[in-house]
Each structure stands twice: as structure tokens, then as C-alpha cells.
């Protein structure tokens, strides 16, 4: 298999957690490539951050509503993104053992949204932040905390093994990170830590409601499905086929010929399956035509 085919196969088989991590890393690299270019040519680059990061001012947010999502793909440095992606990968592995990939996206992006709203409310309500100049929120921490606390609330007593600490209960990890955020609020980056707590709160509430039979993220999943459907190619309708009726005599003849040709049909079917599989191994699944994909799917159902 060619390297390009291996890469396509890896993308097709990657989990939703791995895809989220890949998108975050690619945006991080592109962002810092841009920052490097603007630094070398002495071009102001703050406008890019202000365009995609989430602001504390509601008025500014109204002019760039996309920032309530896009801010989560921006990170301030290598340690910022490394810490977030490690926790996301760790919690995502356990999350997908109990929930679907779509539900992980619900937790992640709803955590991002709630974290941003908590950040904005905090900066506009608490006296400690009065008089603060321009402030922007960046990073995926709120979404990551939503996933981590969400799965920790679902299986709080499940033990996980860490390299240094050994086997500990899942909820201990979540509780430690929440406590760390609370402690660090007066020490700096208060808005960021408050956003983390907003994401953690969403994760806990979401799981608590699921245990009661309520999926509070179903509306968001519906929105994502609608957006995804916009990019799906429309299937062409099959042409009408003429159906000929057979007489009793022809039906009797066909039944006898069917028994003789049964083995031939099976051999031809297997040859066609083998040809399609060879095509996949050489050029990848995407190289198949719709007819070939449908035939392979139907053959799997018949078996």
C-alpha cells in the first residue's frame, strides 16, 4: 500500500478524538507559521487573534458570533496545546467505550460554548474584573474538561492506571483538575480557569441528565447533522426499469435453469467481490464507484 493510501486509511479509521486533536494541531501550526511571517516582516498580527478569539465584551461578540467556537482551536503556546490534547486523548479513549462519537462532540462543543459564556459573564459581573482592558479567551480546555468530567461522572469509581501514581479512581483525576482551576483563579488567567469550570459543569450536568433519560445535547447534534448533510453529495435517482411478466411455462423453465446456474452466479459474485477488494487495496475505498460500494454492501448483507 502506498504512503498516500496509508494516510487516507488512517484518516478514515481515526477516532473522533484523534480527528479533534489533528484539527487543533494543524490550526496551531498554521497560526504560529502566520505569526512567524508577520514577525519577520514586522506586520501587526493581533488582528488574527481578535478575529477568532472569544471577547469578554458582548457587543464585540455580536459582530463575530463564530468566535464562540473558533476560540477553542487557538492556543497560546506549545505547553498549552500539549496539556489540552493529552487530557483530551486520555479522556476520549474511555469516553468512546461508553458513548458514541457524536455524543463526544456534543460534550466537547457544548463545553466550549458554556465555558465561553461563563468567561463573558464573569468578566462583566465580578468586581475583580472591572476596569480590565481588552481580554480574549483561547484554548480547548473548556471542551476538554467537559469530556473528562462527563466520563468521570459516568464511571466515577473505575480505576485507571497512571505512570507515576499507579491505579487511581477516575473521579480523583477530575476532582484534582477542578480544584487546581479554583485555586489558580486569583493567581492569574482567571478568565481561563473560570471557562474550564464552565466546561466541567456542563460535563457533569450532561451526564446527570443522561442518567435520568434526558439528552440535553440532542438539539446540538441535530444542528451538526444538518450542517454535515449540506456537504454530502446528492445521490442520483435510479432510472425506471421495465418489468416483463412471465407466463407459467417460462416461470417453470426459469426455475429449472436457476438451479443449474446457481453455482455460476455465486462464482461470478465472488469474482466481482475479489476484484473490488483488489481495487481497495491498490487505490483505497474512495476509488470505488457508487455501484461498486452498493454491491459490496449488499454482498455483506447477503452473507
Amino acid at each position: 500500500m502506498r504512503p498516500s493510501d496509508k494516510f487516507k486509511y488512517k484518516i478514515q479509521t481515526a477516532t473522533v478524538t484523534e480527528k479533534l486533536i489533528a484539527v487543533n494541531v494543524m490550526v496551531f501550526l498554521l497560526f504560529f507559521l502566520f505569526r512567524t511571517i508577520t514577525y519577520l516582516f514586522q506586520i501587526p498580527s493581533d488582528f488574527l487573534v481578535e478575529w477568532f478569539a472569544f471577547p469578554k465584551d458582548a457587543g464585540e461578540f455580536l459582530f463575530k458570533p463564530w468566535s464562540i467556537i473558533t476560540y477553542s482551536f487557538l492556543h497560546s503556546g506549545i505547553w498549552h496545546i500539549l496539556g489540552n490534547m493529552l487530557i483530551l486523548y486520555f479522556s476520549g479513549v474511555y469516553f468512546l467505550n461508553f458513548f458514541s462519537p457524536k455524543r463526544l462532540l456534543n460534550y466537547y462543543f457544548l463545553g466550549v460554548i458554556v465555558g465561553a459564556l461563563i468567561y463573558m459573564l464573569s468578566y462583566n459581573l465580578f468586581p475583580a474584573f472591572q476596569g480590565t482592558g481588552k481580554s480574549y479567551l483561547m484554548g480547548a480546555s473548556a471542551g476538554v474538561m467537559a469530556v473528562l468530567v462527563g466520563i468521570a461522572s459516568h464511571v466515577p469509581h473505575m480505576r485507571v492506571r497512571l505512570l507515576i501514581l499507579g491505579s487511581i479512581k477516575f473521579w480523583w483525576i477530575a476532582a484534582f483538575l477542578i480544584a487546581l482551576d479554583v485555586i489558580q483563579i486569583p493567581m492569574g488567567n482567571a478568565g481561563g480557569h473560570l471557562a474550564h469550570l464552565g466546561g466541567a459543569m456542563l460535563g457533569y450536568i450532561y451526564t446527570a441528565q443522561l442518567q435520568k433519560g434526558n439528552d440535553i445535547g440532542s438539539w446540538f447534534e441535530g444542528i451538526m447533522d444538518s450542517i454535515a448533510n449540506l456537504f454530502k453529495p446528492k445521490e442520483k435517482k435510479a432510472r425506471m426499469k421495465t418489468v416483463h411478466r412471465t407466463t407459467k411455462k417460462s416461470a417453470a423453465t426459469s426455475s429449472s435453469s436457476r438451479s443449474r446456474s446457481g453455482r455460476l452466479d455465486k462464482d461470478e459474485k465472488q469474482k466481482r467481490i475479489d476484484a473490488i477488494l483488489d481495487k481497495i487495496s491498490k487505490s483505497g475505498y474512495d476509488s470505488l464507484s457508487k455501484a461498486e460500494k452498493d454491491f459490496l454492501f449488499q454482498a455483506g448483507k447477503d452473507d
Side-chain angles (χ1 to χ4, degrees), residues 99-118:
F99 299 114
S100 68
K102 285 187 176 181
R103 186 155 287 166
L104 186 143
L105 291 176
N106 289 353
Y107 272 80
Y108 182 85
F109 285 111
L110 289 177
V112 164
I113 292 171
V114 171
L117 294 177
I118 293 294

Side-chain angles (χ1 to χ4, degrees), residues 89-140:
Y89 182 79
F90 167 80
S91 55
V93 168
Y94 291 98
F95 190 99
L96 293 175
N97 286 328
F98 296 92
F99 299 114
S100 68
K102 285 187 176 181
R103 186 155 287 166
L104 186 143
L105 291 176
N106 289 353
Y107 272 80
Y108 182 85
F109 285 111
L110 289 177
V112 164
I113 292 171
V114 171
L117 294 177
I118 293 294
Y119 162 81
M120 178 183 287
L121 287 172
S122 299
Y123 265 80
N124 287 279
L125 292 179
F126 293 127
F129 305 120
Q130 298 301 316
T132 305
K134 280 191 174 183
S135 178
Y136 295 94
L137 181 65
M138 294 191 302

